[in-house]
Amino acid sequence: MAAPKSVAVFFAVLNLISLLPFIAFSFSPDQPTDRKILVLLDDLSLKSSHSIFFNTLQSRGFDLDFKLADDPSIAVKRYGQYLYDGLVLFSPSADRFGGSLNIEGVLDFVDSGHDLILAGDSNASDLIRNIAAECGVEFDEDTSAMVIDHAGYAVSETEGDHTLIASDEFIQSDVILGSKKLEAPVLFKGIGHSLNPENSLVLKVLSASSSAYSANPTSKLSNPPSLTGTSISLVSVVQARNNARIMISGSLGLFSNRLFRSGVQKIGSLNKYEKSGNEQFVTELSKWIFHERGHLKAVHLKHNKIGETEEPSIYRINDDLEFSVEIFEWSGTSWVPYVANDVQVQFYMMSPYVLKTLSTNQKGLYHTSFKVPDVYGVFQFKIEYQRLGYTTLSLSKQVNIHSCVSFHKFC
């Protein structure tokens, strides 16, 4: 018996769709090292006063191009191609950038998947504040305000105005800050910021204590401060949906040789450290920012009927199939197997018909098997993997499900 014309058309469309290439997206370029970074400075003296930080980047294979922020030769793009992979803005007082770079250019740079480190300070310009705001960070609107903490400042020979903060309020994430515990507090002197509650991509990595507040340290408080306690972020990070990474600090001094080498003792604590936690904190965080850690790639997404090895373009309802994918993490020097117990695959048509947590062989291979649902149509294998500190993996592969073997007869 011949199939009705509408059924024949339906299967013809399915056959046409099956010829389309599968869609698979994963942020997994070649090894993320030997990259070029543009460093814009307020003053060229910062090259020496912050040389330890710059040297750590260069020792890890990064090529740094130093320019004054108002240099007329600045360009991040030429003939439609980006000249740099990362941007460091150590120019908090810059009212404008030189050359062809402006705020839109910085944001386009990040939107194109490139990384950014931005340091504000007590003299932060509207330009720097606006870039931070576009990234989900709002510096205190009071341009004279600094973070003050009368119960969490760093002990010194003179008490001063308690604006040199000793903070040990770190994000609890080995992938972002490294597996080695930060023992010494981080010294911070600068401006505080809050996070845009509508931006779920921005995270505090260094917070103020519950006794901190943001105000002008040279005048008495006439009104309650707008930023107080642990809601004040000292350093924040963003991982954009395109996996570009951003670090925003309210202190340029955080990266300085002086604070790297300084001893630290937090008021009220008996613990004295010969060296602050700044160098370890900034070094480990910069590794994350520039994708030396927490950077995943997925390869060899495969599916086939159980007992077979070739990928079919068509499955029948109730077929038994197996699915696998390999996931690796960049260690800083090589790709190593990524090991986790929370990677899932969906078998999806309009909504998930099957949701399976993948098993792993601890060597990078993730796999599962299941029975094809009793529904025919166009399905996708989908992986949407998001985990704190790791690049997002988004992959899909399309297959057709038919209700019978023959396209010309009813089953």
Side-chain angles (χ1 to χ4, degrees), residues 139-265:
F139 286 118
D140 194 329
E141 293 180 359
D142 184 353
T143 57
S144 64
M146 297 180 69
V147 181
I148 303 168
D149 193 344
H150 299 305
Y153 63 90
V155 175
S156 61
E157 293 181 1
T158 58
E159 286 194 9
D161 52 15
H162 300 169
T163 56
L164 182 60
I165 309 300
S167 176
D168 50 14
E169 301 289 337
F170 309 115
I171 189 172
Q172 298 303 305
S173 171
D174 287 353
V175 68
I176 293 178
L177 290 185
S179 57
K180 183 180 178 181
K181 184 180 178 182
L182 270 158
E183 300 288 349
V186 167
L187 293 171
F188 178 96
K189 187 180 182 73
I191 57 177
H193 59 263
S194 59
L195 308 187
N196 185 338
E198 296 181 0
N199 189 335
S200 61
L201 304 176
V202 61
L203 301 168
K204 289 187 286 186
V205 292
L206 184 68
S207 305
S209 75
S210 58
S211 57
Y213 63 96
S214 180
N216 185 339
T218 63
S219 63
K220 293 184 178 180
L221 281 173
S222 56
N223 295 300
S226 58
L227 294 178
T228 59
T230 56
S231 65
I232 300 175
S233 183
L234 308 178
V235 180
S236 297
V237 297
V238 181
Q239 180 163 279
R241 289 185 173 85
N242 62 4
N243 287 319
R245 291 173 175 174
I246 304 166
M247 171 185 176
I248 297 177
S249 166
S251 170
L252 180 56
L254 176 81
F255 303 84
S256 69
N257 296 354
R258 183 175 65 85
L259 292 190
F260 274 22
R261 294 167 174 158
S262 177
V264 59
Q265 180 183 6

Side-chain angles (χ1 to χ4, degrees), residues 138-406:
E138 298 282 351
F139 286 118
D140 194 329
E141 293 180 359
D142 184 353
T143 57
S144 64
M146 297 180 69
V147 181
I148 303 168
D149 193 344
H150 299 305
Y153 63 90
V155 175
S156 61
E157 293 181 1
T158 58
E159 286 194 9
D161 52 15
H162 300 169
T163 56
L164 182 60
I165 309 300
S167 176
D168 50 14
E169 301 289 337
F170 309 115
I171 189 172
Q172 298 303 305
S173 171
D174 287 353
V175 68
I176 293 178
L177 290 185
S179 57
K180 183 180 178 181
K181 184 180 178 182
L182 270 158
E183 300 288 349
V186 167
L187 293 171
F188 178 96
K189 187 180 182 73
I191 57 177
H193 59 263
S194 59
L195 308 187
N196 185 338
E198 296 181 0
N199 189 335
S200 61
L201 304 176
V202 61
L203 301 168
K204 289 187 286 186
V205 292
L206 184 68
S207 305
S209 75
S210 58
S211 57
Y213 63 96
S214 180
N216 185 339
T218 63
S219 63
K220 293 184 178 180
L221 281 173
S222 56
N223 295 300
S226 58
L227 294 178
T228 59
T230 56
S231 65
I232 300 175
S233 183
L234 308 178
V235 180
S236 297
V237 297
V238 181
Q239 180 163 279
R241 289 185 173 85
N242 62 4
N243 287 319
R245 291 173 175 174
I246 304 166
M247 171 185 176
I248 297 177
S249 166
S251 170
L252 180 56
L254 176 81
F255 303 84
S256 69
N257 296 354
R258 183 175 65 85
L259 292 190
F260 274 22
R261 294 167 174 158
S262 177
V264 59
Q265 180 183 6
K266 189 174 183 178
I267 188 67
S269 173
L270 298 177
N271 296 322
K272 296 181 180 180
Y273 301 90
E274 293 184 359
K275 184 179 177 182
S276 73
N278 288 49
E279 183 174 357
Q280 181 183 345
F281 174 78
V282 168
T283 299
E284 294 302 322
L285 188 51
S286 71
K287 289 179 182 178
W288 182 83
I289 291 294
F290 294 126
H291 292 267
E292 296 167 89
R293 195 169 50 241
H295 177 94
L296 303 178
K297 73 171 182 178
V299 295
H300 302 147
L301 187 153
K302 295 176 58 181
H303 62 87
N304 52 265
K305 295 180 183 178
I306 290 181
E308 300 181 5
T309 57
E310 298 297 320
E311 288 190 2
S313 60
I314 298 169
Y315 287 99
R316 292 181 298 167
I317 59 175
N318 297 320
D319 274 347
D320 292 311
L321 65 81
E322 52 190 4
F323 170 90
S324 65
V325 65
E326 294 180 62
I327 303 177
F328 297 92
E329 178 182 1
W330 182 247
S331 70
T333 56
S334 63
W335 292 106
V336 298
Y338 175 67
V339 180
N341 59 5
D342 59 350
V343 182
Q344 295 182 320
V345 64
Q346 302 177 44
F347 200 51
Y348 187 94
M349 185 179 72
M350 305 297 288
S351 61
Y353 278 75
V354 176
L355 176 63
K356 298 277 285 187
T357 299
L358 301 178
S359 302
T360 178
N361 66 352
Q362 308 290 309
K363 298 179 180 179
L365 179 68
Y366 290 80
H367 58 92
T368 191
S369 59
F370 58 88
K371 188 178 291 292
V372 173
D374 192 7
V375 179
Y376 62 87
V378 180
F379 278 76
Q380 286 185 344
F381 297 96
K382 293 182 67 173
I383 291 178
E384 297 286 346
Y385 186 67
Q386 298 181 22
R387 187 175 181 181
L388 177 66
Y390 289 92
T391 49
T392 298
L393 294 177
S394 181
L395 306 101
S396 64
K397 200 167 190 177
Q398 182 173 283
V399 294
N400 296 325
I401 307 301
H402 288 178
S403 60
C404 55
V405 177
S406 171

